[in-house]
Amino acid sequence: MEPDVCSAKGCRAAATRALAWNNPKIHTPDRRKIWLACDEHKDSLGSFLSARGFLQETAPHDGTLQPR
Ligand SMILES: [Zn+2]
C-alpha cells in the first residue's frame, strides 16, 4: 500500500499531520474533511484553513482523525 502523502499541491512527501476542517458554506456541520500534511506544509495548510475559519483540529497522522 502506498504511504499517505501530503495534500499540498504537487507535494508527494509522506504525511505526518492530519488537519480536520469543514467549510460551513458547502458542508453540513457533521461533515469533516481531512487534509494530510508533511512537515514542510503543515504550517501553510493549517494557516490557509484557519484564516478562512475552516480549521477544526489537527493531530498526528496516526488515524485518529477520520473523514465523516
Ligand atoms: Zn507537503
Side-chain angles (χ1 to χ4, degrees):
M1 192 175 132
E2 294 282 307
D4 291 327
V5 299
C6 176
S7 300
K9 196 173 169 62
C11 183
R12 303 293 300 163
T16 59
R17 300 289 293 178
L19 299 91
W21 63 280
N22 173 291
N23 180 347
K25 288 201 177 122
I26 58 173
H27 300 127
T28 53
D30 60 322
R31 291 290 304 282
R32 181 163 71 186
K33 305 289 288 181
I34 302 293
W35 274 359
L36 302 177
C38 67
D39 285 339
E40 186 185 341
H41 289 116
K42 62 183 192 293
D43 293 336
S44 56
L45 289 175
S47 42
F48 177 91
L49 291 171
S50 61
R52 287 157 181 79
F54 296 170
L55 187 63
Q56 295 183 322
E57 58 181 310
T58 67
H61 176 45
D62 60 3
T64 301
L65 293 180
Q66 294 290 330
R68 69 186 178 204

